[in-house]
Structures are given as C-alpha cells and as structure tokens.
Amino acid sequence: MSSVVTLSFPEPDIALLTLDDPTKGANILARPVLEEIAAHLTALERRSDLAGLIVRSLKPGIFIAGADIREFAAAKDITREQTIAIATEGRTLFERLARTPFPTVAAIDGICVGGGAELAVWCDRRLMTDSPKTQIGFPEVKLGMFPGWGGTVRTPRIVGLSNAVELITGGESIDGRAAVLMGLATDIVRTSTAPSPAAAADQLLQAAVALVRAEKQSGDYLRTREQWSQPIVMSETELGFLGATATAYITQQTKGQYPAPIAALNLMLEASQSDENAAGVQEAEAFAELFGTPVNRALINVFLLTDRNKKDTGVADRGLKPRPIASVGVIGAGIMGSGIAGACVKRELPVTLTDARPESLAGGMRKAVEEASYDRAAKGPTTERLLKFAPLVRAVVADSEFARCDLVIEAVVENEQAKRELYAKLESHLRDDAILASNTSAISIGRLASGLKHPERFCGIHFFNPVRKMPLVEVIRGPQTSDATIATAVGFAKGLGKSPIVVEDGPGFLVNRLLFPYMNEALELLTSGVSMKHVDGAAKAFGMPMGPITLYDVVGLDTALFAGSVMHDAFPDRVLASSLLEAMVKAGRLGQKSKVGFFAYKEKSDKGEPDPTFDAFLQPYLRPSPAKLEPQTITNRLFLPMLLEATRVLAEKKVRDPRDVDLGLIFGIGFPPFKGGLLCWADTLGAAKIVEMLKPLENLGARFAPTPLLLDLAKSGKKFYELNA
Ligand code: NAD
C-alpha cells in the first residue's frame, strides 16, 4: 500500500512529516493515515537530538480536508462505548504532538478543516500561507457533531473561550489573517508571489524551520504547553454572560432543529473549568451523545449526497468526457437569462447575450455583470471586479453572432410557440457541434425538440431562481438527447459551481413535480378551514425554510396557477384545480409582486402581513371539515403527497438514483437537511409505517392512495435507498 505520510529531514535536526495521498485529490485522515502518523511519532518521540517537527502537505490547495466521513457513515451502529474509544484514540494520538521533547509546527497551505484543524491545534504553533485557499475551521456542526479529537479542548485554550465558541459552533472557516488576529496562527507566510508551487512550498518550509528554531531556543512552547494544560481562567459572571448570549444566538439560528452547536457550547463552557485531560474525557463523552443520532445521520447523508453528485458525470458511460465549454450564448436577458449570464461570467466564461427588447438587453447585461462582480465581504459589486467582468459580456442583436458559441441557453418567455420559432431561426447559425438548451420550467423538452434538425444536441438546463444563490440545476433529457449532450451539460453546470441532476423529460421535471402536490395540499387545507398560520406553521416546524402559503406569494400566484394547470392536465386524477387560486389571480392578488396575495405587503417590503380583507375573499371557497386537524395530521397531509409523487417518479425511472430526489429537494426547495432528504426521511420511518400513516387520509381521494412501489417496499421491508443497489 502506498503511504500518505512521509518522514524526511530537510536539515539533520528538523523532522518533516509531509502528507500527500497519491490515490486521492485530498488528504483525508482515514484510519490507515492516523496509523502512519502514530508510527512516525513513535520513532520521533525517542529522539533527543531534534530541534523540532514540522507537519505539512504537498496537495495543492489542501492541507487536510478532515476525517474520513465514509468511516463515520459506516460506523452507524456502534455503541456509545465504541464511540468514546474512537474519539479517545484520535485525541490521544494528536495530544502526542503537544508532548514531544521538541516543538511542533503545522505549516498550513490550503484548506485545513475538521480533523485536520484538530491535528493543527495540537501542534505547538501554526503558520498559514496567504493563499486564498488557505483556511482553517471546524465544520463538524454541519454534520451534526463537534470536533471529537480534542478540538474543543485545545482551541479555547489557544484563542480564548469566546473565539472558540464562535469558531466551533458556527462551523465557518477563517483565513490566515483572522487566525493570526485570534492567536490561532503565529504568522502568515507570503507565498502567493512565489514563482512556482515548489518555490512557495520551500518558502513555507523555511519559515517553519525558522519558527521551530526560535521556539526551541526560547522555550516558549514549553510555557504555552503548561498554560494550555490548565483550566481556563474566567469568572462565573463572564462564563454566565457568554453562555446566555451564545445560547440565544444559536437557538435563533438553528430554530432548535440542529442540536450540535448547543451541545458544543455547553461542553466548552463546562470543560473550560477542567484541566486539559479531564476536558478531553468530557469531550469524548459528549461526542458520543451526538454521534449516530438521527440528525447526525441525516447530515452525513447530505454530505454523501453532495459528494456523490460531485463524482456523477450524468451518464452511465463514465468514460464519456464532457466537451469543454469556452463560450456561452444566452437568449432572453430577463430574470433568468441575466442570472445565467452572470453565473457564467463569474467563472470567466465569455457570454454572448441577446433579447428581443433593447431595454431588457441593456438591463440584463448590467445585471449579469453586477451579479458576477458581487463580493461577499463588500456586500455588493466592487469596481475591480466590475472592470474585470464587464468585457466578458457581449450584447448582440443578430442570430449569426451565436455561431462561435459552444452552448446556447434559451431563457425567453415561457411560451412553447415563441421558443420553437426562435429555435427554427437560430439553429442554422449554430456550429455543428454546438449544444442548444432551454431553461424552461415546465414545457416538454421532447415537444420543444420536435422541429429541430439536431434534437440529439438539445436538452433542458433548468436553473432555479435566483441563479446566484440556488445550487440546483436540472439537466433534462429529451427523448432524443444524446449522452454526449447530457455529459456536457452536466460538466458545464458543475463548472459554474452548481449541483446538476439529470432528469427524464416529463411534467414538472423533478422538483416542480414534487413541489406541486405539497403546494396543492396547502390550498386544500386552507379551504377546509385550517388557518394559514397553522398550514405554514406545520411546514416550518417540519423544517421548511418557509411555509407553502408564503411560498405562493413569493413565487407569484399567476406562475403557480400556470404550473398547476400543467400538472393538472398531466395528472388529473390526483392534482386538483384550485378555484381559489384562479379567483385570486383574476382579482390581481398575485403575491409579493402585486403587493397582495395571501398576505399584504407594504411598499418596498417583501415581508407579508395579515391582510384583513382575505377572510372575506376566502369565504366562498370554504368547505370547513367537521373535525379540527391535529398538527401531525396537517404535516402528514402536506408531505405525504410529495412522498407519494416521489415514489411515482422512481417507478417511472425519471431519475437515475433515489438520491437525486433528495439532493434535488434540498438544493431546489430547501427541504430540511436535518431530515437528510425526502426519501432518507421516509427510510427512517419505513414504508410500512408510511402506509399506516396514509390510512386515515385515504378517504380524501387518489392523491393519498399508497402507490405500488410503496406497497412493495412495505412488504419487502426494503428501503428507498436500496432501490438502486
Ligand atoms: P422574463 O420575462 O424575466 O425574461 C424573458 C426575456 O425574454 C424578456 O426580457 C423578453 O424580452 C425576452 N424575450 C421574449 N421573447 C424573446 C425572443 N423571441 N427572443 C429574444 N428575447 C425574447 O422571464 P424569466 O423569468 O427570466 O423566464 C425565462 C425562462 O426561464 C422561462 O422559460 C421560465 O419558465 C424559465 N424559468 C423561470 C424561473 C423564474 O423563477 N423566473 C425559474 C426557472 C425557469
């Protein structure tokens, strides 16, 4: 087996451990790697002739990307005692970096997170390069855990309790500058101007050697070792204040649905008053309380979904490489077209943009450049970025201008006739190998392709609104779309930093098809006498970012009505046409955009307030049900139709893997990550239980009837996630 950790001696008295996993794109602290580190430490600890030890990585952009999450996923059934033993083993290994007879330095270039950051904090000192990729952080709370190899012990002792609470409960990484300010890193090494990666690595190494020698000579590291092994000095009042403010903040952020940050806070507050050894024991015990809990399992599932998506090429033939896209055309410079153009330009892909209306073209061009130039820190576009990106958008009016594009995305009005006329005019101008794609939300890709000379090079590339924020892209395969086209569309979307899923053509594709039964049921509940507050409240308590009634107002009731009619035409047996929705659109109650929908909106505000005239409006559509519905019944009525639709999507093989459903809903509509996805959630309940939950609802009609696939799983005891196995 090839080794990941090599020991060398750049100078006779300087030991250097270099991590570089030849088999992977990142260094991961899998068990065999920890064993290699342990073996090297055993050899080095005996040496009294060393001035110090440096730990570094030669993986470009990565120091250590963390522990091996797949090992965590596989360890789902281990006992509390086994979890404590694993945590203790990792911590006692890293502790040895703070017990050596010489100083230890982590020389960090690239990301250093999770278990990697724990290794780094157990070193006596940390240096970080000024590369924009160099970041240190503890993202464990995003997986429903906290650092369990001594990260919660050591970090507060180095940077102070308050800073550590922010780092560990927030899960965000910080760069070298912030790390130095906090005292987490000793210094920043400027390697960004080095002439080559080898020269940059050498600069960092030289700085680390100098630091080791200075520490060895001054003995400072021995003083901090002593100090950091003690309890943290803090008064009861200070501790109480930090606890109260941090608890309030975390509770507001997590809405009580993510237990890890609060558990990490409570642990750090308590263990701060113990010495280092006792704090380590407390950490392992508290870690075991979280490990393997449903939220932890669900969040690990989301990690695995994302990881799987990164490796998925979109087609069965893994050897089929996507064609590189060097130039993109976008037709229609409205909300979506300008967003798509902005996403391309941001990745330095030149865009040719057009629109039938000159004022839309000018506005779309400006919006694309501004979106690409948005800088998070500046909270807006910066001049430097505007100057960089503006030349990448070319506004044109003639179709012949698209002849140079590798890919042309159409984002004009949602009208089949208009789109088909456009393609007929455009196709002859496109290059022989160019791909044409539509951003349509609902029109059949097969129908749109029917007049094309090259339907094999046509597909849907469905971005979500707003493009800048939404990570999901549905790549829709029409009946004649080729694998090469799909692979290229998937590669293109990934190049924009998106998570594409491949979906077969069909009404609502994937996300809207699953969203619609849920939205539809919200109106059924409303017209049967359940208040808006209770409908939205049930969805939010389940973990949705907003309730379905609020979502109607955000999406626009006219858009929802149109999408609803597509679904109703396709599935009349189970999708009901809502006369309430129709009446609201007729009355100009379109939601946020018309300042009144289900809620009323003040000028310049998107925050809905109760509309006193709504009750009277609703009155004619009310058919109150005799019984008051329990919150659980409301929840079941909202989410079970969504789940049943997902079982039909699976049976019809609209997606290639059940996991695509979960990724699509989490990234497309904000389905709660702490439930792991719709089918992951269903798997935790089990199909048999779901059949039972449907029984009291079956009298509501076909939309609550268990599907053949659900009944099969209930009988066999199989899980949705096993369907592709
Ligand atoms: P929009 O009305 O904001 O923009 C459409 C633009 O296309 C307008 O500027 C219009 O002038 C232009 N246009 C119309 N016909 C044209 C033609 N023949 N040639 C050139 N330009 C033409 O619409 P939008 O919201 O950006 O939607 C565009 C497409 O994206 C639609 O198919 C829509 O269903 C889909 N979509 C919209 C959303 C959303 O939330 N808005 C989300 C996903 C997909």
Side-chain angles (χ1 to χ4, degrees):
M1 207 191 82
S2 54
S3 87
V4 172
V5 192
T6 21
L7 173 63
S8 61
F9 294 88
E11 294 178 25
D13 59 345
I14 301 281
L16 175 66
L17 286 182
T18 303
L19 282 90
D20 193 357
D21 188 337
T23 64
K24 295 200 181 82
N27 292 324
I28 306 280
L29 294 176
R31 182 163 267 277
V33 179
L34 295 175
E35 283 166 6
E36 279 190 59
I37 295 174
H40 287 305
L41 284 179
T42 303
L44 293 170
E45 280 159 348
R46 297 196 200 107
R47 304 229 345 217
S48 55
D49 59 329
L50 291 179
L53 165 67
I54 297 163
V55 185
R56 69 156 178 186
S57 149
L58 282 185
K59 233 351 120 212
I62 295 171
F63 178 70
I64 296 171
D68 188 346
I69 309 297
R70 283 177 195 282
E71 283 180 5
F72 288 175
K76 63 178 190 292
D77 296 322
I78 64 173
T79 63
R80 182 185 144 77
E81 284 65 34
Q82 285 169 315
T83 307
I84 293 177
I86 291 171
T88 308
E89 204 182 327
R91 189 187 73 250
T92 29
L93 165 63
F94 288 169
E95 268 174 9
R96 291 164 66 185
L97 290 162
R99 312 269 189 270
T100 45
F102 42 76
T104 51
V105 170
I108 305 167
D109 181 44
I111 60 162
C112 169
V113 287
E118 293 189 276
L119 180 148
V121 294
W122 279 108
C123 287
D124 292 307
R125 300 289 180 261
R126 285 142 296 282
L127 287 176
M128 290 171 74
T129 67
D130 65 343
S131 152
K133 292 200 172 134
T134 301
Q135 301 254 321
I136 186 164
F138 298 97
E140 284 88 343
V141 287
K142 295 181 185 170
L143 294 177
M145 306 182 281
F146 50 71
W149 288 338
T152 72
V153 177
R154 187 79 170 172
T155 316
R157 284 166 172 76
I158 299 174
V159 300
L161 192 52
S162 175
N163 282 330
V165 163
E166 197 178 324
L167 266 179
I168 289 174
T169 66
E172 296 301 325
S173 296
I174 56 171
D175 62 11
R177 212 165 58 96
V180 169
L181 280 175
M182 211 180 254
L184 188 56
T186 310
D187 211 349
I188 298 180
V189 183
R190 294 192 199 292
T191 56
S192 57
T193 48
S196 66
D202 194 51
Q203 277 176 14
L204 177 60
L205 180 59
Q206 292 315 319
V209 169
L211 181 58
V212 159
R213 294 212 180 283
E215 287 291 332
K216 180 75 180 168
Q217 202 181 10
S218 67
D220 278 351
Y221 74 102
L222 294 172
R223 283 183 280 281
T224 43
R225 279 184 184 183
E226 170 57 22
Q227 183 193 336
W228 293 340
S229 69
Q230 301 300 317
I232 296 174
V233 182
M234 234 174 148
S235 71
E236 285 272 320
T237 325
E238 280 176 307
L239 266 180
F241 182 73
L242 176 62
T245 49
T247 303
Y249 179 76
I250 294 169
T251 310
Q252 184 224 351
Q253 294 287 311
T254 60
K255 303 184 178 75
Q257 286 157 336
Y258 295 84
I262 283 285
L265 170 69
N266 291 337
L267 165 69
M268 282 190 281
L269 290 172
E270 202 186 313
S272 68
Q273 301 308 295
S274 312
D275 67 25
E276 190 182 70
N277 288 332
V281 174
Q282 285 168 291
E283 181 192 75
E285 283 174 357
F287 182 81
E289 295 297 315
L290 284 181
F291 191 79
T293 54
V295 173
N296 172 231
R297 306 314 314 163
L299 292 173
I300 287 182
N301 187 54
V302 176
F303 173 87
L304 297 177
L305 291 176
T306 318
D307 195 49
R308 176 184 167 276
N309 184 260
K310 282 189 194 138
K311 294 175 187 146
D312 181 15
T313 59
V315 289
D317 176 2
R318 296 217 153 222
L320 189 63
K321 294 274 170 269
R323 262 204 28 230
I325 300 291
S327 166
V328 179
V330 178
I331 304 185
I335 301 176
M336 296 307 288
S338 59
I340 296 166
C344 293
V345 171
K346 191 172 172 190
R347 300 286 166 144
E348 305 193 24
L349 260 182
V351 171
T352 304
L353 182 67
T354 195
D355 196 286
R357 290 173 39 226
E359 60 276 25
S360 298
L361 181 53
M365 189 172 163
R366 195 172 50 241
K367 197 175 144 226
V369 175
E370 280 177 4
E371 287 211 7
S373 310
Y374 185 88
D375 181 273
R376 251 211 325 210
K379 296 200 174 95
T382 60
T383 313
E384 192 191 349
R385 289 172 72 93
L386 286 169
L387 289 172
K388 176 175 166 189
F389 291 129
L392 292 179
V393 190
R394 214 163 55 94
V396 303
V397 288
D399 288 341
S400 55
E401 298 279 359
F402 290 92
R404 63 165 79 172
C405 298
D406 297 311
L407 165 69
V408 176
I409 303 176
E410 165 275 306
V412 306
V413 279
E414 187 74 340
N415 177 311
E416 186 173 334
Q417 181 81 9
K419 289 185 194 278
R420 289 178 60 161
E421 280 171 15
L422 173 86
Y423 304 160
K425 209 155 61 67
L426 179 74
E427 198 183 15
S428 60
H429 293 285
L430 299 184
R431 272 211 332 247
D432 272 354
D433 55 357
I435 290 175
L436 178 62
S438 175
N439 187 51
T440 177
S441 334
I443 304 172
S444 152
I445 295 299
R447 279 211 311 271
L448 287 177
S450 62
L452 288 173
K453 284 197 212 78
H454 290 290
E456 75 283 4
R457 293 204 305 265
F458 181 73
C459 67
I461 302 187
H462 181 209
F463 287 84
F464 287 71
N465 184 18
V467 178
R468 184 166 67 83
K469 285 200 184 146
M470 301 296 283
L472 186 68
V473 170
E474 289 179 330
V475 171
I476 298 127
R477 182 194 278 274
Q480 298 182 69
T481 309
S482 70
D483 271 7
T485 298
I486 293 295
T488 300
V490 165
F492 161 72
K494 286 188 180 178
L496 300 187
K498 303 290 179 194
S499 303
I501 53 172
V502 178
V503 184
E504 293 295 317
D505 198 9
F509 308 133
L510 173 70
V511 171
N512 286 337
R513 176 163 173 188
L514 299 190
L515 180 64
F516 205 80
Y518 157 86
M519 298 290 279
N520 186 64
E521 200 58 33
L523 295 188
E524 287 300 309
L525 284 162
L526 203 63
T527 49
S528 61
V530 182
S531 71
M532 293 200 276
K533 195 172 139 203
H534 283 109
V535 175
D536 273 6
K540 285 178 72 175
F542 186 85
M544 296 299 283
M546 67 177 76
I549 304 292
T550 306
L551 186 58
Y552 269 111
D553 271 9
V554 172
V555 170
L557 273 68
D558 48 347
T559 310
L561 183 66
F562 175 75
S565 69
V566 172
M567 302 302 284
H568 176 68
D569 292 348
F571 313 116
D573 62 324
R574 56 181 190 269
V575 178
L576 315 170
S578 164
S579 45
L580 169 64
L581 203 58
E582 211 175 318
M584 289 180 73
V585 172
K586 262 198 198 123
R589 287 181 168 266
L590 304 184
Q592 280 180 353
K593 60 176 137 180
S594 70
K595 296 288 159 206
V596 64
F598 287 100
F599 300 95
Y601 300 82
K602 292 211 175 87
E603 211 44 55
K604 292 195 182 145
S605 167
D606 280 345
K607 190 167 168 9
E609 287 168 19
D611 172 11
T613 67
F614 183 73
D615 279 351
F617 192 93
L618 178 66
Q619 206 57 38
Y621 304 92
L622 272 180
R623 6 169 211 89
S625 70
K628 187 173 170 295
L629 299 185
E630 292 301 319
Q632 186 58 52
T633 308
I634 302 175
T635 310
N636 291 352
R637 278 192 58 179
L638 288 172
F639 290 96
L640 293 181
M642 189 190 260
L643 176 64
L644 287 171
E645 201 60 38
T647 67
R648 296 182 191 103
V649 162
L650 293 179
E652 293 167 26
K653 301 209 179 313
K654 292 289 184 196
V655 288
R656 293 171 306 135
D657 191 288
R659 287 158 191 83
D660 284 340
V661 169
D662 284 359
L663 190 86
L665 289 179
I666 293 169
F667 284 171
I669 62 165
F671 189 91
F674 70 87
K675 289 205 154 62
L678 178 69
L679 297 173
C680 177
W681 167 69
D683 276 344
T684 59
L685 294 171
K689 167 97 189 279
I690 293 163
V691 171
E692 284 307 307
M693 287 158 77
L694 285 167
K695 280 198 177 132
L697 304 174
E698 275 175 26
N699 60 346
L700 290 166
R703 64 191 198 280
F704 285 100
T707 56
L709 176 62
L710 184 70
L711 291 171
D712 273 359
L713 293 186
K715 212 164 129 200
S716 67
K718 257 179 121 178
K719 291 186 179 301
F720 285 108
Y721 269 37
E722 288 166 355
L723 284 176
N724 250 20

